[in-house]
Amino acid sequence: MADIVRNPPDRGARIDGADAPSPKVEVYLDHAASTPLRPEARAALRSWLGEDGAVVGNASSSHAAGRRARVAVEEARERVATALGAHPHDIVFTSGGTEADNLAVKGLAWAGAESGRRHLVVSAVEHPAVRDAASWLADAQAFTVTWVAPDADGTVPVDAILDAVRDDTAVVSVMTANNELGAVNDVATLADALADHPAALHTDAVQAFATLPVDLGHLRVDALALSAHKFGGPQGVGVAYLRRGVPIVPIAHGGGQDRGVRSGTFAAALDAACAAAVEAATLDRAELASRLPGWTDRLSAVLTTLHGVRRNGPADPARRLASHLHLSIDGVEGEALTFALDQAGVRASGGAACSSGSARASHVLEAAGVDGDAALRLSLGWTTTDEEVERATALVPEIIAKLRAGEAVT
Ligand code: PLP
């Protein structure tokens, strides 16, 4: 195998990190953490921020530079709205998924409190952006939260959510798909069931968007969060879909941009790049979603033949993200495994499973009762190649064997 850092010219993806370039072929299987920038998003950034670009004014300024930026923001908003089947007024650009989740959970909770509703229903497997926002509302703001446990495969039962909803429920928050196990929830059924309830329904679709369609013309949620860097956009920009007419209290005060819902100078270049990534991801989603399971299944088939390696998450392919493969691995330590994989050029996410008793045990794995000494998440995406999958298929068993034998991995 050639001794190069992979940089596919056809896709414009550079995958070199901050460290000195790896001498090994790089296998990037951590798309759930962040994805390589799509050429469409890069072109949008270049056109706004490149050396030849015109001044990006403040989109709230009335002069020509400001008006140019404003046009970029509004065009981006429209393009995102079209791709999501939403109205442009419902689209608010944020600094990422974390802000979009915080805006939805806190903003909708505070609005509910104004009419006496101070109860939240939140799944126990939410990303910390939702989970910690809800915990903080309970700890510091006199809300109460009912946490709904997932099934053993990580999916959250709709019935259990509905059973937890009360007359004073302000917000229900259930992620479209889980970032660790890739478990997909039936948010559409939940949304239909809650349609006549005053509680606002928020879904974090950050992990789902790359491979699952989002059609807000039909999905009756009140709020939805996206993060551009999870589907080929730049880091630092995301989308909060906030359905018109649903009361929301802003979480930040300032210049009153975006109808006062999200103060702060518009990030024209990032918004344009986010819109470009949303469109590109929407265009190739179906093809990607049909291509990835062959690879995740191939990896799973090879790795689960090893003693003490189990696949986690839903068995039904329709209930799991095409991009995610989550494994429990006995007889190795999580951090040692991801470190050794990294040394070999394989970028993946790990973490200790709950049974290890590690302080870093994942709340998701704990809630789903997933055991094992180590957890390994391999997540694939738009730049994944056959070569990467084949290399991982060879390297991961080799490294597990070496770690189990106590051999050094170099
Ligand atoms: N929600 C989920 C499910 C995520 O996986 C992440 C990021 O890992 C976030 C929210 C936060 O998104 P961001 O990195 O854009 O703040």
Side-chain angles (χ1 to χ4, degrees):
M1 180 107 11
D3 209 23
I4 50 162
V5 175
R6 198 177 66 83
N7 182 18
D10 52 335
R11 290 172 172 154
R14 277 186 73 80
I15 316 178
D16 41 9
D19 302 335
S22 162
K24 310 231 167 60
V25 172
E26 183 155 46
V27 175
Y28 188 77
L29 297 182
D30 206 10
H31 284 250
S34 204
T35 55
L37 196 63
R38 288 177 182 269
E40 296 86 348
R42 185 186 304 278
L45 284 177
R46 280 217 176 107
S47 79
W48 282 98
L49 299 178
E51 278 172 26
D52 302 332
V55 174
V56 186
N58 185 320
S60 302
S61 301
S62 56
H63 52 60
R67 292 198 306 275
R68 266 199 310 271
R70 187 59 183 233
V71 167
V73 172
E74 296 312 325
E75 273 181 12
R77 198 194 301 277
E78 271 178 35
R79 290 164 66 188
V80 170
T82 302
L84 300 183
H87 191 282
H89 281 177
D90 301 344
I91 302 300
V92 172
F93 287 108
T94 65
S95 60
T98 298
E99 185 191 338
D101 279 332
N102 271 267
L103 177 56
V105 174
K106 293 177 189 162
L108 295 170
W110 286 334
E114 286 177 355
S115 46
R117 287 177 288 114
R118 303 190 73 90
H119 175 243
L120 313 179
V121 177
V122 183
S123 96
V125 290
E126 295 297 302
H127 185 274
V130 167
R131 184 171 175 256
D132 292 358
S135 294
W136 176 79
L137 286 168
D139 295 346
Q141 299 265 305
F143 283 81
T144 53
V145 182
T146 302
W147 300 99
V148 178
D151 285 338
D153 65 2
T155 57
V156 185
V158 170
D159 288 352
I161 297 281
L162 294 176
D163 285 349
V165 174
R166 316 190 309 213
D167 289 347
D168 66 339
T169 301
V171 183
V172 176
S173 190
V174 178
M175 66 206 315
T176 306
N178 180 260
N179 43 306
E180 292 185 49
L181 295 170
V184 173
N185 292 312
D186 189 356
V187 176
T189 299
L190 183 60
D192 288 344
L194 287 174
D196 296 326
H197 194 283
L201 175 60
H202 168 59
T203 190
D204 174 334
V206 165
Q207 291 288 329
F209 189 72
T211 52
L212 289 181
V214 172
D215 177 5
L216 291 162
H218 291 100
L219 186 66
R220 297 162 71 164
V221 295
D222 300 297
L224 178 142
L226 297 180
S227 170
H229 74 101
K230 306 292 186 175
F231 50 85
Q235 295 169 350
V237 59
V239 172
Y241 162 81
L242 303 167
R243 190 183 286 282
R244 268 157 310 151
V246 176
I248 185 151
V249 174
I251 59 171
H253 297 93
Q257 289 88 343
D258 260 336
R259 290 167 286 114
V261 174
R262 201 263 180 173
S263 283
T265 300
F266 291 106
L270 288 174
D271 298 353
C274 176
V278 164
E279 283 177 345
T282 303
L283 277 177
D284 76 8
R285 178 187 290 124
E287 195 273 323
L288 187 63
S290 65
R291 177 155 43 102
L292 297 185
W295 283 330
T296 43
D297 288 347
R298 159 120 179 93
L299 283 160
S300 173
V302 171
L303 299 178
T304 56
T305 57
L306 304 176
H307 162 74
V309 178
R310 298 173 294 286
R311 182 173 191 167
N312 301 314
D316 177 0
R319 296 301 304 270
R320 66 183 183 220
L321 291 177
S323 43
H324 286 47
L325 171 62
H326 191 280
L327 301 164
S328 286
I329 303 174
D330 292 334
V332 295
E333 194 269 317
E335 272 187 41
L337 176 61
T338 45
F339 180 77
L341 286 171
D342 192 26
Q343 294 290 101
V346 180
R347 318 299 179 221
S349 274
C354 54
S355 69
S356 70
S358 155
R360 298 185 54 177
S362 144
H363 71 281
V364 173
L365 303 188
E366 206 163 321
V370 171
D371 65 0
D373 296 328
L376 180 66
R377 181 188 68 187
L378 302 175
S379 54
L380 287 56
W382 74 274
T383 55
T384 303
T385 62
D386 251 326
E387 184 197 4
E388 284 182 302
V389 173
E390 285 317 307
R391 222 173 140 70
T393 305
L395 282 169
V396 177
E398 200 179 290
I399 285 165
I400 291 173
K402 281 188 177 168
L403 289 174
R404 283 177 173 166
E407 286 173 32
V409 182
T410 49

